[in-house]
Amino acid sequence: MLAVGGQLASTLVVTGYPAEVTPGWLSPLLNFPGHLDIALHIDPVPNPVAAASLKKQRARLESGRRSGFAQGQLDDPDVEAAAQDAADLAFRIARGEGKLFQVALYLTVHAADEEALAEQVAAVRAVAESLLMNVAPTTYRALPGWLATLPLGIDTLKIRRTFDTAALAACFPFTSPELPLPQGPEGSPTGVLYGLNAISGSPVLWDRYAQDNYNSITLARSGAGKSYLMKQELLRLAFTGVTASVIDPENEYVRLAETVGGRVVALGAQGVRLNPFDLPPPPHSGEAGDLLTRRVLFLHTFLSVLLSSPLSAAEKAMLDRAILATYEHAGITADPRTWTRTPPRLGDLYAALELEAGDTAIELAARLAPYVSGSHAGHFNGPSTVETSGHLVVFALRDLPEEVKAPAMLLALDAVWRQVTERARTGRHLVVVDEAWLLMREGAGAEFLFRMAKAARKKWAGLAVVTQDADDVLASPLGRAIVSNAATQILLRQAPQAVEAIGEQFHLSHGEQEFLLSATRGEALLLAGDRRHKVALISVASAAEHEVITTDPGELAAQLRENEAAYAEAAE
């Protein structure tokens, strides 16, 4: 304790730090309500000195480990962790990815008398310990401790720890756990509310349309709240004028569409069908090339997914001839004037294959038979019977058998892409593919999603991929390419079996992986922009929003009982 003028001062030295920190982790100390001076002394370590020191440290740790092993001792987890950290740090320094610094952190508490000083010191120690820091008083060195916290830049105590660049950046007093506020061209805030910051409790606003691309990827285990978060964003984006199309395998978005006056296309219901041979409207003069050629190429992709196997070269050649013959029989040729004629059907392709000679045509016709005259004939064989335009269009696929959900998703995505192309000049659009693993497991379906992810930005549209199976996304090159083309990445609760692969792909720290393992429903990690911005958030919804977007069976049953009771009371 030191008497300074009419006050007393006591200095604390930080001797231990937490294993992992996040930006703004010192905020509780910086915002301490009492009179507290904080001094951070930083001294850079030259790279040659740092490399030599780390080499000695690694040798010392390895020697101790081998000595213990030779004596029959078990491995010390702390030593193993320290050796791994030292090795990682040495490699980062060798690659020029960071530097080492000698850092000292001192805290000087001021109070009017001894009793108040003791209370203030105890409060500061409690805050520091809540941050997993160890602090010690400068016993018998009160004057050097006070001098170390004066704005003189003199470290009179020299009680230091070694930090790397990333750890030191997180200690910077002006860093914050908040995301940068998205702003429009005139400086006004944009974006929608995603939730509350899990650290500071402040609102998390994010604008996907202010990023390099408008795509997003949402990964979570079943029941973590990924569809809930997506529906919440859709509802809030609607108030900003964004239109949307949703591929919904489980009918989770139907109530939302019905509430906001959207359109529900229930594929699989009686008489509801999309014709894969439909041609899009003719392009404006001088805009696009041959619509028929592009449609034939899409049909190759669609039939590959429908038949559940990649097509061989001979099968592709045979299908190409048969598809062109089918269009020609319907009077549709390369002449743009014929593109408005009634398109053929899947049954016409089957008939064209039967007219072809050879085993390849016979086999393809046999594989198409269930979708033409068999059990699945009503899903794809016939003219389109529904309109697919609107400010919110939900393609509900729950009534479809599992065997045809993937080709139906692809057909719905094709219809969505037509709407995206037509709306490109009129406003922003969002395409949501829920349970995308159904399509990602098919090679041709993954390629279609990848092409859409690459081209959506040029049409003022974003692709939002939502899936619970991380392996289908991260285990394939196309899946990883889709992730890398998503400027907005949202991770919710993960299974222990998948968290290691996700941590490697998204460059997550051990603490961030632990957060995903222990996250409750609605808690998420938002990786924004170029991954320099990360924030842990808690999804929040108003009572009115929750009533519209929840799919919890218990809550839906309670709502149904309340509605029935209200109707009965009104009838009386």
Side-chain angles (χ1 to χ4, degrees):
M1 183 172 57
L2 181 70
V4 181
Q7 288 193 328
L8 300 178
S10 179
T11 301
L12 301 173
V13 180
V14 178
T15 58
Y17 296 85
E20 290 190 7
V21 294
T22 58
W25 72 286
L26 282 177
S27 294
L29 278 176
L30 297 174
N31 298 325
F32 184 75
H35 187 176
L36 176 65
D37 294 336
I38 302 176
L40 188 67
H41 294 267
I42 304 169
D43 188 15
V45 179
N47 277 359
V49 176
S53 176
L54 284 171
K55 185 177 181 180
K56 292 179 181 178
Q57 178 70 3
R58 293 179 62 195
R60 186 162 47 249
L61 292 170
E62 182 65 18
S63 175
R65 190 184 70 83
R66 292 186 181 184
S67 174
F69 182 76
Q71 297 175 15
Q73 299 177 359
L74 294 176
D75 291 339
D76 187 343
D78 292 336
V79 173
E80 292 291 330
Q84 183 62 45
D85 291 343
D88 292 341
L89 187 54
F91 285 126
R92 288 204 301 271
I93 291 175
R95 291 193 297 264
E97 296 177 358
K99 296 185 64 176
L100 291 186
F101 300 86
Q102 291 290 330
V103 177
L105 182 58
Y106 308 128
L107 316 171
T108 296
V109 186
H110 299 264
D113 52 53
E114 290 189 25
E115 183 178 354
L117 182 62
E119 292 178 356
Q120 291 293 303
V121 169
V124 171
R125 293 183 71 118
V127 173
E129 290 170 0
S130 71
L131 299 175
L132 303 181
M133 292 192 300
N134 298 326
V135 294
T138 55
T139 307
Y140 305 118
R141 300 184 68 185
L143 180 59
W146 174 67
L147 291 174
T149 56
L150 291 178
L152 302 176
I154 301 174
D155 185 1
T156 53
L157 294 175
K158 297 188 182 301
I159 303 176
R160 302 175 176 182
R161 289 288 297 271
T162 302
F163 278 43
D164 65 349
T165 305
L168 180 59
C171 297
F172 193 71
F174 302 108
T175 57
S176 170
E178 311 294 343
L179 284 177
L181 187 66
Q183 293 184 347
E186 299 179 357
S188 57
T190 61
V192 297
L193 176 67
Y194 270 49
L196 299 179
N197 191 306
I199 298 175
S200 64
S202 60
V204 176
L205 298 176
W206 186 248
D207 184 3
R208 66 166 65 231
Y209 292 96
Q211 310 311 311
D212 295 337
N213 61 69
Y214 319 136
N215 303 332
S216 69
I217 178 76
T218 303
L219 292 176
R221 66 185 299 177
S222 179
K226 57 186 182 302
S227 297
Y228 188 97
L229 185 62
M230 191 71 250
K231 285 181 283 187
Q232 184 176 280
E233 182 185 5
L234 276 176
L235 185 58
R236 292 168 181 175
L237 281 174
F239 288 100
T240 67
V242 176
T243 58
S245 303
V246 182
I247 311 300
D248 182 13
E250 298 297 334
N251 290 16
E252 294 183 89
Y253 297 76
V254 170
R255 292 175 61 245
L256 173 61
E258 292 174 345
T259 302
V260 301
R263 187 186 301 274
V264 177
V265 180
L267 295 177
Q270 184 67 29
V272 179
R273 182 174 51 248
L274 292 175
N275 183 10
F277 285 81
D278 282 346
L279 287 171
H284 297 287
S285 176
E287 277 196 0
D290 190 351
L291 283 181
L292 181 60
T293 301
R294 292 204 302 271
R295 197 61 191 171
V296 171
L297 293 175
F298 167 76
L299 284 169
H300 279 284
T301 301
F302 171 75
L303 291 170
S304 177
V305 176
L306 183 68
L307 300 178
S308 300
S309 65
L311 299 175
S312 66
E315 289 173 334
K316 287 182 179 180
M318 178 59 68
L319 274 178
D320 198 65
R321 290 198 302 270
I323 292 171
L324 289 174
T326 302
Y327 274 114
E328 187 174 355
H329 188 267
I332 300 175
T333 65
D335 187 350
R337 292 174 296 180
T338 66
W339 294 346
T340 58
R341 294 176 179 173
T342 302
R345 307 175 184 180
L346 194 61
D348 299 324
L349 175 62
Y350 177 80
L353 285 170
E354 285 192 319
L355 295 176
E356 296 282 349
D359 294 340
T360 302
I362 295 174
E363 183 181 353
L364 285 172
R367 294 168 67 184
L368 276 178
Y371 307 101
V372 173
S373 57
S375 56
H376 299 312
H379 301 315
F380 306 110
N381 185 28
S384 297
T385 60
V386 290
E387 179 63 39
T388 59
S389 61
H391 66 277
L392 175 59
V393 182
V394 174
F395 293 85
L397 311 179
R398 189 174 63 184
D399 295 335
L400 285 168
E402 290 295 327
E403 294 78 8
V404 296
K405 273 191 177 180
M409 289 177 70
L410 185 61
L411 202 55
L413 275 174
D414 174 68
V416 168
W417 188 247
R418 299 184 200 176
Q419 298 300 316
V420 168
T421 303
E422 293 175 7
R423 292 176 179 270
R425 295 178 181 81
T426 61
R428 299 172 297 173
H429 195 80
L430 182 62
V431 181
V432 179
V433 184
D434 206 340
E435 304 298 345
W437 62 271
L438 290 168
L439 197 57
M440 293 291 295
R441 63 186 179 183
E442 304 286 346
E447 288 180 4
F448 189 89
L449 272 182
F450 173 67
R451 291 196 298 269
M452 181 176 284
K454 296 284 284 186
R457 182 186 62 83
K458 302 174 184 177
K459 305 294 184 181
W460 209 3
L463 174 65
V465 176
V466 183
T467 184
Q468 61 177 298
D469 200 332
D471 287 340
D472 284 325
V473 177
L474 303 180
S476 67
L478 282 175
R480 292 192 294 271
I482 291 173
V483 170
S484 64
N485 278 279
T488 302
Q489 300 166 351
I490 303 173
L491 305 175
L492 293 95
R493 183 179 176 89
Q494 301 294 327
Q497 298 82 356
V499 73
E500 184 175 348
I502 289 176
E504 180 179 355
Q505 175 67 33
F506 293 93
H507 306 290
L508 303 181
S509 66
H510 177 72
E512 290 166 341
Q513 294 181 40
E514 290 296 324
F515 171 80
L516 294 180
L517 287 174
S518 61
T520 59
R521 180 179 297 180
E523 292 184 344
L525 187 63
L526 173 62
L527 312 181
D530 55 4
R531 295 181 184 171
R532 288 182 300 176
H533 303 298
K534 297 180 182 180
V535 62
L537 61 89
I538 303 171
S539 173
V540 291
S542 67
E545 288 176 322
H546 179 76
E547 184 177 353
V548 172
I549 62 183
T550 183
T551 53
D552 185 274
E555 294 181 357
L556 294 179
Q559 289 181 15
L560 181 61
R561 289 194 297 268
E562 291 177 3
N563 292 337
E564 290 176 348
Y567 291 147
E569 184 178 350
E572 294 176 358

